[in-house]
Amino acid sequence: MTLTDEQQLLHQARLGDETSAAAYGELVRRYQTAVFNVAYRLLGRRVEAEDAAQEAFLRAYRALDRFEMGRPFAPWIKRITTNLCLNWLESARAKTQLLAADMSQNDQPVSMDDWAQAAPSPEQTLVREEQATQLHRALLALPPRYRVAIELRHFQELSYDEMVEVMERPLSSVKSDLFRARKMLAEKMKESA
């Protein structure tokens, strides 16, 4: 059985020799945008998202010996990021900072959809930016557990079983949280329209 490029990097990163840092650095390079986007959608501020992404990669590196080889790295690092952000959101310090956050135009998330589109018109770009800003603000207005439910299901595209594992809640609670989150999000989007 041959190892994929990602598996080779993971194996090399686990060795702890002089090449392990370079191998892990390559994994960070590959997934840094995805990890940042998860953190940004959950935390809402660029600086906090950057800190969370860095901390998530650090925690993943320290836990590489517990990573199950043969599984993809992306879902694992995204779960670490999600759990880290949820812990930050639940702390009093993060709640205080989040309420006082300045929602300036400079705090826009990295949007891969915009990059994928072929040269949208200025009007289309403006409409997309306004919609993204409205959605971002509406998501930040949700309680943390509802925000996490939306993030896991719609941005990370996890199954309900995977959500149960990440959120450490019963399936019925996860489904209920997701239902309430969608309802609240729709109401907040109507209010801002």
Side-chain angles (χ1 to χ4, degrees), residues 14 25 27-28 55 59 65 71 82 84 96 100-101 107 111 122 136 149 182:
R14 283 175 128 173
L27 289 167
V28 170
E55 178 66 21
R59 287 183 183 192
D65 59 331
R71 296 190 74 168
T82 299
L84 175 68
T96 303
D107 269 350
S111 175
H136 183 69
R182 288 173 178 157

Short mmCIF file of all heavy atoms in Angstrom, two decimals, residues 14 25 27-28 55 59 65 71 82 84 96 100-101 107 111 122 136 149 182:
data_model
loop_
_atom_site.label_atom_id
_atom_site.label_comp_id
_atom_site.label_asym_id
_atom_site.label_seq_id
_atom_site.Cartn_x
_atom_site.Cartn_y
_atom_site.Cartn_z
N ARG A 14 5.79 13.28 12.26
CA ARG A 14 5.77 12.54 13.53
C ARG A 14 7.15 12.05 13.96
O ARG A 14 7.35 11.72 15.13
CB ARG A 14 4.88 11.30 13.39
CG ARG A 14 3.42 11.58 13.45
CD ARG A 14 2.69 10.31 13.17
NE ARG A 14 1.71 10.06 14.22
CZ ARG A 14 0.84 9.09 14.16
NH1 ARG A 14 0.84 8.24 13.14
NH2 ARG A 14 -0.03 8.91 15.13
N GLY A 25 5.31 22.09 8.43
CA GLY A 25 5.17 23.40 7.81
C GLY A 25 4.41 23.33 6.49
O GLY A 25 3.61 24.22 6.17
N LEU A 27 2.14 21.04 5.76
CA LEU A 27 0.73 20.81 6.12
C LEU A 27 0.06 22.12 6.55
O LEU A 27 -1.08 22.39 6.16
CB LEU A 27 0.64 19.77 7.24
CG LEU A 27 0.96 18.34 6.84
CD1 LEU A 27 1.14 17.47 8.07
CD2 LEU A 27 -0.11 17.77 5.93
N VAL A 28 0.76 22.92 7.32
CA VAL A 28 0.22 24.21 7.74
C VAL A 28 -0.05 25.07 6.51
O VAL A 28 -1.11 25.69 6.39
CB VAL A 28 1.18 24.93 8.72
CG1 VAL A 28 0.75 26.38 8.96
CG2 VAL A 28 1.28 24.18 10.03
N GLU A 55 -2.83 28.65 17.26
CA GLU A 55 -2.95 27.76 18.42
C GLU A 55 -3.45 26.37 17.99
O GLU A 55 -2.99 25.35 18.51
CB GLU A 55 -3.90 28.36 19.45
CG GLU A 55 -4.12 27.50 20.68
CD GLU A 55 -2.89 27.31 21.56
OE1 GLU A 55 -1.95 28.13 21.48
OE2 GLU A 55 -2.87 26.32 22.32
N ARG A 59 -1.51 22.91 18.70
CA ARG A 59 -2.13 21.79 19.41
C ARG A 59 -2.12 20.52 18.57
O ARG A 59 -1.89 19.42 19.08
CB ARG A 59 -3.56 22.14 19.82
CG ARG A 59 -3.61 23.13 20.95
CD ARG A 59 -5.01 23.40 21.39
NE ARG A 59 -5.02 24.40 22.44
CZ ARG A 59 -6.05 24.69 23.19
NH1 ARG A 59 -7.20 24.05 23.01
NH2 ARG A 59 -5.98 25.62 24.11
N ASP A 65 1.03 12.35 17.59
CA ASP A 65 1.21 10.94 17.95
C ASP A 65 -0.14 10.25 18.20
O ASP A 65 -0.23 9.03 18.13
CB ASP A 65 2.13 10.80 19.15
CG ASP A 65 1.62 11.53 20.38
OD1 ASP A 65 0.92 12.55 20.24
OD2 ASP A 65 1.94 11.08 21.50
N ARG A 71 -6.39 8.55 8.09
CA ARG A 71 -7.54 9.47 8.05
C ARG A 71 -7.07 10.79 7.47
O ARG A 71 -5.90 11.17 7.61
CB ARG A 71 -8.10 9.67 9.45
CG ARG A 71 -8.67 8.37 10.02
CD ARG A 71 -9.41 8.61 11.25
NE ARG A 71 -10.69 9.24 10.89
CZ ARG A 71 -11.69 9.40 11.72
NH1 ARG A 71 -11.58 9.01 12.95
NH2 ARG A 71 -12.79 9.98 11.33
N THR A 82 -12.37 24.21 15.69
CA THR A 82 -13.74 24.44 16.16
C THR A 82 -13.82 24.33 17.68
O THR A 82 -14.40 25.20 18.34
CB THR A 82 -14.71 23.44 15.50
OG1 THR A 82 -14.66 23.63 14.08
CG2 THR A 82 -16.13 23.65 15.98
N LEU A 84 -11.40 24.60 19.88
CA LEU A 84 -10.63 25.69 20.47
C LEU A 84 -11.44 26.98 20.46
O LEU A 84 -11.54 27.67 21.48
CB LEU A 84 -9.32 25.88 19.69
CG LEU A 84 -8.45 27.05 20.11
CD1 LEU A 84 -7.87 26.82 21.49
CD2 LEU A 84 -7.34 27.26 19.09
N THR A 96 -16.62 39.15 26.28
CA THR A 96 -16.50 40.59 26.44
C THR A 96 -15.89 41.22 25.19
O THR A 96 -16.38 42.23 24.69
CB THR A 96 -15.62 40.92 27.67
OG1 THR A 96 -16.22 40.31 28.81
CG2 THR A 96 -15.52 42.42 27.89
N ALA A 100 -17.69 43.81 22.13
CA ALA A 100 -17.11 45.11 21.86
C ALA A 100 -16.43 45.17 20.48
O ALA A 100 -15.82 46.18 20.14
CB ALA A 100 -16.11 45.45 22.94
N ALA A 101 -16.53 44.11 19.73
CA ALA A 101 -15.81 44.03 18.45
C ALA A 101 -16.27 45.11 17.47
O ALA A 101 -17.45 45.40 17.36
CB ALA A 101 -16.02 42.65 17.83
N ASP A 107 -12.24 43.75 8.36
CA ASP A 107 -12.37 42.43 8.97
C ASP A 107 -13.15 41.46 8.10
O ASP A 107 -13.92 40.66 8.60
CB ASP A 107 -13.05 42.53 10.34
CG ASP A 107 -12.04 42.71 11.46
OD1 ASP A 107 -10.84 42.57 11.20
OD2 ASP A 107 -12.47 42.99 12.58
N SER A 111 -12.63 34.88 1.11
CA SER A 111 -13.72 34.21 0.41
C SER A 111 -13.20 33.49 -0.82
O SER A 111 -12.85 34.12 -1.82
CB SER A 111 -14.80 35.23 0.00
OG SER A 111 -15.77 34.59 -0.77
N PRO A 122 -18.43 45.12 -10.83
CA PRO A 122 -18.38 45.86 -9.56
C PRO A 122 -19.69 45.78 -8.78
O PRO A 122 -19.68 45.68 -7.56
CB PRO A 122 -18.08 47.30 -10.00
CG PRO A 122 -17.39 47.15 -11.31
CD PRO A 122 -18.00 45.94 -11.95
N HIS A 136 -22.32 37.40 7.97
CA HIS A 136 -21.29 37.36 9.02
C HIS A 136 -21.80 37.99 10.31
O HIS A 136 -21.66 37.40 11.39
CB HIS A 136 -20.03 38.07 8.52
CG HIS A 136 -18.89 38.03 9.47
ND1 HIS A 136 -18.21 36.86 9.75
CD2 HIS A 136 -18.33 38.98 10.24
CE1 HIS A 136 -17.28 37.12 10.64
NE2 HIS A 136 -17.33 38.40 10.95
N ALA A 149 -23.03 25.02 15.46
CA ALA A 149 -23.87 24.08 14.70
C ALA A 149 -23.91 24.47 13.22
O ALA A 149 -23.77 23.61 12.34
CB ALA A 149 -25.29 24.05 15.28
N ARG A 182 -30.74 27.80 12.47
CA ARG A 182 -31.23 28.20 11.14
C ARG A 182 -32.37 29.19 11.25
O ARG A 182 -32.43 30.17 10.50
CB ARG A 182 -31.68 26.96 10.37
CG ARG A 182 -30.55 26.08 9.90
CD ARG A 182 -31.10 24.81 9.29
NE ARG A 182 -30.05 23.95 8.78
CZ ARG A 182 -30.19 22.65 8.60
NH1 ARG A 182 -31.33 22.04 8.92
NH2 ARG A 182 -29.20 21.93 8.12
#
